[in-house]
Every structure is written in C-alpha cells, then in structure tokens.
Amino acid sequence: MATGIVLLFNIIRYFYYHQYLAFPFYWTFFVLTALFLSIAWWAGKQFDKVKYLSERDPLTGTYNRRTVEEYFHKVAKISDIKKQSLGVIMLDLNKFKEVNDKYGHHKGDELLIQVATALNTFVTKHDLVARWGGDEFVVLVDNMKENTANAYVKELQQAITLQNAENFPNVEASVGYAIYPQHGKSFQKLVQEADAYMYKDKKEN
C-alpha cells in the first residue's frame, strides 16, 4: 500500500511539474522515484512484521489472546447478521507437565508447535486458532452447530493424537466447547463455559 501511494505521488509530481508547469525533465526524477519507492517498501515490510508479531504467539505462530478476542467480536456480529452460530473451543493438553519434566522444556515447546500445526491443518480458513497460554489453545469455529459439536470435538482430538502419535504417544487433549449465542453472548462467558466443559472432560479421562 505504501509503495502504491508513493508511486501515485510521483505520477502526480511528474504531470504537475513537467506537464502542467512545463519544468525541464531530468533523469534524476527516476533516481528520486526509486529512492522513495525503496523507502516505502522497507517501511511497509517493517509495519507488516510488527503487525504480525503483535498478533501472534512467538512460539507456535498461532494468534494470541488479544487477537482472538478482537476477532470474536467481529465474527459474532457477522454471525448475528447471518443468523448463524459460532463455536468457542478450549483445548488443554493432558500430561504436558510430564513431557516437560521428563524430556525438558525444548520437547514441551516441540509438542506445542506440533499441536498448533495439527489445529491449523484441521480447521477451515474461516476459523481461528490461538494459544491461550501454557498448553491451552482456543479455536473459534465458524457456524458450529450444537447437534454436531460433539462429533467435531472428537475428530479434533483424534487429529491431535495422530499428529503426536510418533513423538508423543501418551499425550492427548481435553476439549470443551461453548456456542454463541446459545451458551452466552460475551466472549468471557463463552470461554468460562468451554473451560468448565474442558475440565470435566479432563477429570473423566
């Protein structure tokens, strides 16, 4: 976008000075244009980098807590307009502490990265995966229906187990969900509901 603005500015500059005012045209015009474009391109890349880092978890590359909450408010409004539901899934890894204690934190980090990969592969382009903190993840699922939610959760758990079967055969995930607007209209309320469901699942397993 920045390069486009600079390019447009230089086109206007050319027509104003050299066509409208009839100033002599020199080759240095192209040098200055190239310089301005280079600066704009570099500034644009830095902005994109800062924006990416502000939205993402540095370890897994998934979105962070602030971003998922902001995204929820946007998609909730869209869901209201379309009269659709929205799923909020909470996911917690079982035996994650054992992995850290037995193999070290670098192995724990490796596991989190693998889980993030499994989640991003499983969800659709309209969904969003975020690291909530520690070994917890949140997934926003577009148009998630209550009558198919349990089946969706089981498939999600299987995807994570299969992804980690070779390197972490004993690690599974406890998953809970809540659905907007049936189970709540605020993000905090839905997270609480999904979290309670998740810990019920963890105790049963």
Side-chain angles (χ1 to χ4, degrees):
M1 183 177 178
T3 53
I5 293 172
V6 170
L7 189 60
L8 179 62
F9 168 76
N10 278 274
I11 291 171
I12 294 171
R13 182 167 68 100
Y14 168 78
F15 279 100
Y16 179 73
Y17 284 106
H18 305 298
Q19 298 294 323
Y20 181 70
L21 297 181
F23 282 11
F25 184 80
Y26 298 106
W27 66 272
T28 53
F29 176 88
F30 294 109
V31 175
L32 288 173
T33 299
L35 178 63
F36 292 150
L37 285 172
S38 298
I39 293 172
W41 176 84
W42 179 85
K45 292 290 285 184
Q46 296 306 306
F47 174 81
D48 290 342
K49 183 179 179 181
V50 170
K51 186 174 184 295
Y52 178 88
L53 293 174
S54 70
E55 294 178 343
R56 301 276 180 164
D57 170 58
L59 176 64
T60 63
T62 57
Y63 289 97
N64 57 31
R65 291 180 68 149
R66 179 180 60 82
T67 304
V68 71
E69 186 165 2
E70 290 176 355
Y71 185 75
F72 169 82
H73 295 303
K74 292 178 183 177
V75 293
K77 291 178 181 177
I78 296 172
S79 296
D80 288 339
I81 294 170
K82 292 183 176 180
K83 299 187 183 305
Q84 294 179 345
S85 54
L86 175 66
V88 177
I89 290 179
M90 290 290 294
L91 180 150
D92 178 84
L93 296 179
N94 301 332
K95 301 181 180 178
F96 179 71
K97 185 176 184 300
E98 292 180 20
V99 173
N100 275 335
D101 292 343
K102 187 174 181 179
Y103 301 107
H105 288 283
H106 66 287
K107 271 294 183 182
D109 289 348
E110 184 182 326
L111 173 58
L112 292 173
I113 292 169
Q114 284 190 207
V115 170
T117 300
L119 290 172
N120 281 316
T121 302
F122 183 82
V123 302
T124 71
K125 65 180 180 179
H126 301 294
D127 305 333
L128 183 141
V129 177
R131 186 181 177 193
W132 193 246
D135 60 329
E136 289 186 335
F137 291 84
V138 171
V139 185
L140 296 186
V141 184
D142 181 56
N143 199 24
M144 184 176 181
K145 296 179 173 60
E146 195 163 7
N147 61 341
T148 59
N150 286 326
Y152 183 93
V153 164
K154 288 186 183 301
E155 289 178 12
L156 180 61
Q157 287 173 310
Q158 288 173 359
I160 293 170
T161 301
L162 288 173
Q163 175 74 24
N164 299 297
E166 184 177 347
N167 296 324
F168 305 98
N170 296 322
V171 174
E172 297 177 346
S174 295
V175 180
Y177 69 87
I179 298 177
Y180 172 91
Q182 292 94 317
H183 299 153
K185 291 192 174 182
S186 73
F187 184 64
Q188 290 76 15
K189 173 64 175 175
L190 291 164
V191 167
Q192 287 174 1
E193 291 290 326
D195 195 55
Y197 193 130
M198 179 185 71
Y199 275 100
K200 180 183 176 184
D201 181 49
K202 185 181 281 288
K203 287 181 179 179
E204 290 175 354
N205 294 300

